[in-house]
Amino acid sequence: MEQMARRVSREVKAMTRREIITKAIDGQISWVAAADIIGVTPRHMRRMRRAIEHGGISAVMDQRGGRPRRKRIAMQTIGEMCRLKRELYPDFSIRHFYEHLTERHGVAVSYTYTRMVLEEAGIVEKEPGRGRYRRRRERRPMVGMLVHLDGSTHPWIAGLPDQDLIVAMDDADGRILYAEFFAQEGTLSTFQALRCIMERYGRFCELYTDRGSHFCRTAKAGEAPAEEQNGQVAQALRALGIRHIPARSPQARGRSERAFETIQGRLPQELRLHGITTYAQANGYLKEVFVADFNRRFTVAPAQPESAFTPVAGIELELLLSAQHQRVVRNDNTVTFKTVILQLPTTRERMHFVRCPVYVHQFPNGTLGVSYQGRLLARYDADGGPLPSPINKERAGAAQQRSASTEKLSAALHRTAGANSESVVFRPRFPTRARSDGRKTKESNTTQKTQLSTQRRGHL
């Protein structure tokens, strides 16, 4: 019994007057219990409560330190802050909650005061010390010089299996360039991210990733990656002239790790708050709302205003940024990919592609394609069914344009012939001597040939 009493005494002494009053305002303890803990009479506690209601909690704090008096926050405001954090935003971080508190609910308080109130009320735990200071790596001076690409597996939506969130972030300003959910991080998700970045911004200089198997091959765990890499992603990066930098540890990718820590503390709560229950809806929310809001809050100004992104011209990104598998066309003009048989169509240039080396492409959207000498021949779904090809679409469009122009020309000739029908007379070029049966005689044909040769010699 005495041991418990001593423990309670130690806990009581550890709590400050502000913490006790904050708990009383929040309703966790009664004002009579607060008076007993602080060591004042209930009558004096009633005086203190009236003072707090009139001038805020700072009215009963000791102000003899010579510092200026802080802004007085009403007791109702403190209670509303605690209620919102407990009922509506229980899983939000303090910074995330403070943004919604000031922007959506119009409570004009500082972040430091919000954190202090929530910690003293016991709603959130006090953060431990940060430990030894480590100097962070300097950012690249211009955007487009270095791009971080990484994925994070997390329970983003309650009740659904975990998926990987693929995020590409610029090193110079911390801006998110691309973000999308995938069932699993791999080669196809990497190609999709690279294609979206280069189509929107252009080609960048360096790519910073982890040492996943789809990025590089490591012969033995813990060792450095092999000097020569011939994977799908490595070949595509070499073709584009992008240098690949594999990180040796998670600490080396601290900038992207801290970004994911922020995203994991915000995105699941935002999805829950907006009633999003599928990953398709979550991808739409990422593109339309979350990425823009994240960039607005956390993007920093780069050291130099110029950009290192360069436009990509003359490169078929769809074919280059896809998983490629070489095949040889069989005698029936088909190729086999895994267990799927792909029937090649005939083209204007070739009737078949028997024994020709072709490439089967796996696109990030799950479809397949076959190309020959850098030209896409056909598209297929996952089961090998043919899909509309861009070449066929172009041919159909060109044929339609030719048909439309021919119809316009015919209509114009008909209008001209109708307007000048009386003056237009068609006569034979050379006079002919008709026979009784209506056919041309041999002499007339000979005469026509002689006249034609004479005219040609005269022109010459």
Side-chain angles (χ1 to χ4, degrees):
M1 197 69 181
E2 295 178 355
Q3 186 177 5
M4 180 173 292
R6 286 196 298 269
R7 184 176 63 83
V8 172
S9 177
R10 287 196 302 270
E11 292 178 355
V12 169
K13 291 181 181 179
M15 292 187 294
T16 63
R17 172 176 288 197
R18 180 188 292 273
E19 292 175 346
I20 300 303
I21 294 177
T22 303
K23 292 181 183 293
I25 293 174
D26 189 35
Q28 298 182 27
I29 59 176
S30 65
W31 288 96
V32 176
D36 189 22
I37 295 174
I38 294 175
V40 298
T41 62
R43 183 179 180 182
H44 184 63
M45 178 56 70
R46 287 194 293 270
R47 287 195 294 265
M48 293 175 61
R49 181 176 181 180
R50 287 193 296 269
I52 293 171
E53 292 176 351
H54 177 71
I57 194 173
S58 59
V60 297
M61 295 294 106
D62 191 357
Q63 302 291 336
R64 291 176 297 179
R67 297 181 298 273
R69 297 176 67 90
R70 295 182 178 179
K71 179 181 178 181
R72 295 180 176 180
I73 306 298
M75 186 175 65
Q76 293 80 3
T77 302
I78 298 176
E80 181 68 9
M81 291 166 54
C82 297
R83 185 190 68 82
L84 289 174
K85 183 64 175 71
R86 183 184 298 104
E87 298 179 1
L88 193 59
Y89 306 100
D91 51 352
F92 279 46
S93 64
I94 300 178
R95 173 66 69 176
H96 199 187
F97 166 71
Y98 172 73
E99 293 170 359
H100 283 264
L101 181 68
T102 55
E103 296 177 4
R104 298 186 60 182
H105 301 279
V107 179
V109 294
S110 66
Y111 168 75
T112 304
Y113 188 82
T114 303
R115 179 180 57 79
M116 182 176 60
V117 168
L118 296 179
E119 289 178 351
E120 291 174 350
I123 300 176
V124 297
E125 297 181 359
K126 294 185 178 181
E127 296 183 358
R130 293 183 177 271
R132 188 176 62 177
Y133 172 75
R134 294 179 180 271
R135 183 176 181 180
R136 298 177 180 177
R137 177 184 56 81
E138 295 292 335
R139 294 178 180 267
R140 293 292 196 272
M142 292 190 300
V143 296
M145 295 184 66
L146 179 64
V147 173
H148 298 266
L149 182 63
D150 199 4
S152 174
T153 305
H154 190 74
W156 305 103
I157 302 177
L160 294 182
D162 297 351
Q163 285 202 2
D164 292 343
L165 176 61
I166 308 301
V167 174
M169 183 182 64
D170 195 285
D171 182 75
D173 56 359
R175 178 184 300 273
I176 292 181
L177 306 177
Y178 170 84
E180 188 173 355
F181 285 107
F182 284 88
Q184 187 175 5
E185 181 185 5
T187 301
L188 297 181
S189 63
T190 302
F191 283 148
Q192 177 68 12
L194 293 176
R195 181 182 175 185
C196 291
I197 294 172
M198 283 187 282
E199 286 181 349
R200 183 174 181 180
Y201 301 98
R203 190 188 69 85
F204 49 92
C205 301
E206 297 175 329
L207 181 67
Y208 199 41
T209 67
D210 57 15
R211 293 189 291 175
S213 59
H214 54 285
F215 288 119
C216 57
R217 182 182 63 86
T218 304
K220 187 177 180 181
E223 295 182 354
E227 296 183 0
E228 184 178 356
Q229 298 290 337
N230 295 314
Q232 298 280 357
V233 176
Q235 292 179 6
L237 293 177
R238 279 200 300 268
L240 292 169
I242 299 175
R243 182 193 174 198
H244 181 214
I245 305 176
R248 291 181 175 270
S249 63
Q251 291 78 7
R253 295 179 290 106
R255 191 150 291 143
S256 62
E257 293 291 334
R258 288 188 295 272
F260 269 120
E261 184 179 358
T262 303
I263 294 173
Q264 290 177 0
R266 289 171 173 262
L267 184 57
Q269 294 81 1
E270 293 283 348
L271 297 179
R272 178 190 58 80
L273 190 65
H274 290 82
I276 295 175
T277 57
T278 63
Y279 281 107
Q281 297 175 352
N283 281 327
Y285 181 78
L286 278 174
K287 298 176 182 178
E288 297 173 5
V289 180
F290 185 81
V291 172
D293 184 70
F294 183 93
N295 292 337
R296 178 176 62 86
R297 297 182 186 278
F298 300 105
T299 299
V300 300
Q304 299 179 15
E306 294 82 9
S307 175
F309 285 107
T310 56
V312 180
I315 299 177
E316 189 66 31
L317 291 177
E318 184 182 25
L319 296 181
L320 181 60
L321 298 177
S322 62
Q324 304 177 22
H325 309 273
Q326 190 171 11
R327 295 290 188 273
V328 177
V329 182
R330 300 192 300 186
N331 292 336
D332 56 352
N333 204 34
T334 62
V335 294
T336 304
F337 178 70
K338 295 182 179 179
T339 59
V340 179
I341 298 177
L342 308 177
Q343 180 69 54
L344 299 183
T346 60
T347 63
R348 184 177 300 178
E349 293 79 11
R350 298 181 65 108
M351 292 295 295
H352 62 82
F353 296 87
V354 175
R355 298 184 181 180
C356 291
V358 297
Y359 282 96
V360 178
H361 299 265
Q362 282 183 288
F363 299 114
N365 58 1
T367 60
L368 303 174
V370 179
S371 68
Y372 176 66
Q373 294 182 352
R375 182 182 181 185
L376 184 63
L377 300 179
R379 291 179 181 272
Y380 309 89
D381 57 22
D383 298 327
L387 296 176
S389 177
I391 298 178
N392 297 333
K393 290 182 179 180
E394 293 176 0
R395 290 178 180 175
Q400 187 176 2
Q401 292 179 359
R402 288 195 300 268
S403 176
S405 61
T406 303
E407 292 178 359
K408 291 181 181 179
L409 180 59
S410 300
L413 291 176
H414 283 301
R415 288 195 299 269
T416 305
N420 304 326
S421 58
E422 298 180 357
S423 59
V424 176
V425 179
F426 294 96
R427 293 188 177 88
R429 185 171 182 180
F430 303 107
T432 59
R433 186 171 57 187
R435 287 174 27 170
S436 59
D437 57 359
R439 294 182 297 177
K440 297 179 183 180
T441 62
K442 185 175 182 181
E443 291 83 0
S444 64
N445 293 335
T446 307
T447 305
Q448 290 179 13
K449 293 180 181 179
T450 306
Q451 291 178 357
L452 181 60
S453 60
T454 305
Q455 290 179 0
R456 290 178 178 175
R457 285 197 298 271
H459 286 297
L460 293 174

